[in-house]
Amino acid sequence: MRILVIAAAVMALTVASAQAQGRRPPNDGAKPADNKPKVDEKAYKAALERIPEPKDKYDPWGGARQSEPAKKPK
């Protein structure tokens, strides 16, 4: 008898989870509002031109190793 109760509980949980996955929100046919701001290409390029060029080359591993390679003794 216990086996039948456990089997029925497992089947009920399996069916309930499968039904929950298949549900979708109702679609009214209306498209969502487009709240994205418009990109201004001229302003974007002007902002890129205002960024100064770095004087030194960026080294992301600078703290992990020496900046100059060790010289071999002769």
Side-chain angles (χ1 to χ4, degrees), residues 1-19:
M1 185 70 178
R2 284 185 185 169
I3 295 174
L4 292 176
V5 172
I6 294 172
V10 169
M11 291 295 288
L13 291 174
T14 304
V15 170
S17 66
Q19 286 179 347

Side-chain angles (χ1 to χ4, degrees), residues 29-54:
K31 293 184 179 180
D34 188 19
N35 294 335
K36 295 181 183 177
K38 301 292 181 184
V39 178
D40 186 14
E41 292 295 325
K42 290 181 183 178
Y44 174 74
K45 289 181 181 179
L48 287 179
E49 290 174 0
R50 288 192 305 254
I51 297 174
E53 292 294 325

